[in-house]
Amino acid sequence: MIEVERLTKRYGPATVVEDVSFVCRPGTVTGFLGPNGAGKSTTMRMLCGLTPATSGTATVLGVPFTSLPNPGRHVGVLLDASAQHAGRTGRETLALTARILGVPAARADEMLDTVGLAGKAAGRRVGDYSLGMRQRLGIAQALIGDPSVLVLDEPANGLDPEGIYWMRTLLRDFADRGGAVLLSSHLLHEVEAVADTLVVIAGGRVVASGTKSKLLAPSGRTFVRALDPAALYSALVGAGLPVVRREPPADGGGEAFVVEAQGEAVGRAAAASGVVLLELRQASGGGLEELFLTLTGRQTGPATTPSVPQEALR
């Protein structure tokens, strides 16, 4: 369980995170989204005790991260895969982590196999790893203590499509076994595929939060296509029904429209003008990408403030 309540971070006059609150429950993946400079990384650093909060609280399993005994046994963290020691091999990196956390040494090889770095890759120096390999190693480090909570910042960076699918499956399995996952990523389609709940942040503030099904529920819009698109458009405008989007022609049909109205109103407008309809249905939602752009497209964070430390701008 992760609980963040009214978390705020200021650097002098610049506020980079303001009054942020959300909960990440066991058995769920929470997608933590926002544009560059929105305050995601700063929030995650405060959660993990790496950046002191100006005000508010952030707890993991009911206590601040820094109060957890041997925190790596409870919380797996990946904030920056490039921070690993370049001179150590993958196996040495995990063996050292296992020793620090007090888990069996065999756990290192087990995790290397889990993340696809067993064999020759385990003996290579981290400095020779690709970004995707470093991400896999970082995930192995996060998992080696058998935690019940994962905090991951952009873990899919550098992964190929197969690797992204692997990571999605791994996170889903972790949550389905009762774990709690806080996942920050710019890969919106992947977040949409794996997340149960969403928290969207822009300009340092939460602009939307809730279950994925609730936030991405179809709106009261209607998709309509007619034999005569021009006549349909005139009928819609004449009835005062706002056309919010045009859709390109489909096989066997002309241009279609998405209308901000219920299907009955659209059907009646078409019937009144004698327009023959080929398709009339509830418009599907635009998905997470449309929600994200709608909520953050015109928002700007404090990332341009020169006095703000670089870690706060991610």
Side-chain angles (χ1 to χ4, degrees):
M1 169 82 85
I2 295 172
E3 295 181 275
V4 174
E5 185 173 356
R6 307 196 68 175
L7 202 60
T8 297
K9 180 61 182 178
R10 299 187 184 92
Y11 291 97
T15 300
V16 296
V17 175
E18 184 174 3
D19 207 30
V20 167
S21 299
F22 62 86
V23 175
C24 180
R25 303 184 185 281
T28 66
V29 177
T30 298
F32 191 38
L33 308 173
N36 290 334
K40 302 186 304 299
S41 292
T42 300
T43 299
M44 297 176 93
R45 288 178 62 85
M46 286 190 284
L47 172 65
C48 296
L50 298 174
T51 296
T54 302
S55 62
T57 60
T59 60
V60 187
L61 302 174
V63 298
F65 182 90
T66 53
S67 297
L68 288 168
N70 199 355
R73 298 294 299 270
H74 305 280
V75 187
V77 178
L78 174 59
L79 299 183
D80 184 1
S82 65
Q84 296 153 349
H85 194 298
R88 296 193 181 105
T89 66
R91 180 176 287 108
E92 288 169 344
T93 298
L94 291 190
L96 179 60
T97 302
R99 180 178 298 181
I100 291 172
L101 296 183
V103 300
R107 182 79 171 154
D109 283 325
E110 180 185 340
M111 286 297 97
L112 286 167
D113 185 60
T114 296
V115 302
L117 292 178
K120 292 183 179 179
R124 290 174 57 184
R125 296 189 184 278
V126 174
D128 296 329
Y129 277 11
S130 67
L131 175 57
M133 293 173 73
R134 290 198 297 272
Q135 293 285 17
R136 287 175 180 266
L137 184 63
I139 292 171
Q141 278 190 296
L143 291 171
I144 197 169
D146 195 23
S148 58
V149 176
L150 288 177
V151 178
L152 308 174
D153 192 4
E154 301 291 349
N157 277 356
L159 294 180
D160 58 20
E162 181 182 358
I164 291 173
Y165 177 79
W166 161 81
M167 187 194 69
R168 183 205 308 168
T169 303
L170 182 146
L171 297 183
R172 187 67 265 165
D173 288 346
F174 182 88
D176 289 345
R177 288 184 281 107
V181 181
L182 180 62
L183 170 66
S184 171
S185 178
H186 285 105
L187 300 178
L188 299 182
H189 292 296
E190 291 306 314
V191 174
E192 184 173 359
V194 74
D196 303 290
T197 61
L198 302 169
V199 177
V200 185
I201 186 172
R205 299 180 64 91
V206 173
V207 293
S209 65
T211 64
K212 181 175 64 176
S213 59
K214 179 180 177 180
L215 291 178
L216 302 185
S219 62
R221 294 180 176 181
T222 299
F223 179 94
V224 59
R225 192 187 303 274
L227 199 60
D228 186 343
L232 173 60
Y233 182 78
S234 296
L236 296 171
V237 172
L241 304 179
V243 176
V244 297
R245 190 168 71 244
R246 294 172 180 260
E247 297 283 351
D251 293 342
E255 184 182 36
F257 306 95
V258 175
V259 187
E260 192 75 62
Q262 296 297 324
E264 181 181 351
V266 174
R268 288 182 179 277
S273 298
V275 176
V276 178
L277 297 183
L278 299 175
E279 193 173 359
L280 177 68
R281 58 176 170 81
Q282 184 181 53
S284 59
L288 182 54
E289 185 174 276
E290 182 174 302
L291 174 70
F292 180 87
L293 293 175
T294 299
L295 293 172
T296 68
R298 297 184 181 181
Q299 303 263 2
T300 56
T304 56
T305 305
S307 60
V308 176
Q310 288 300 308
E311 63 89 8
L313 304 186
R314 297 195 295 270

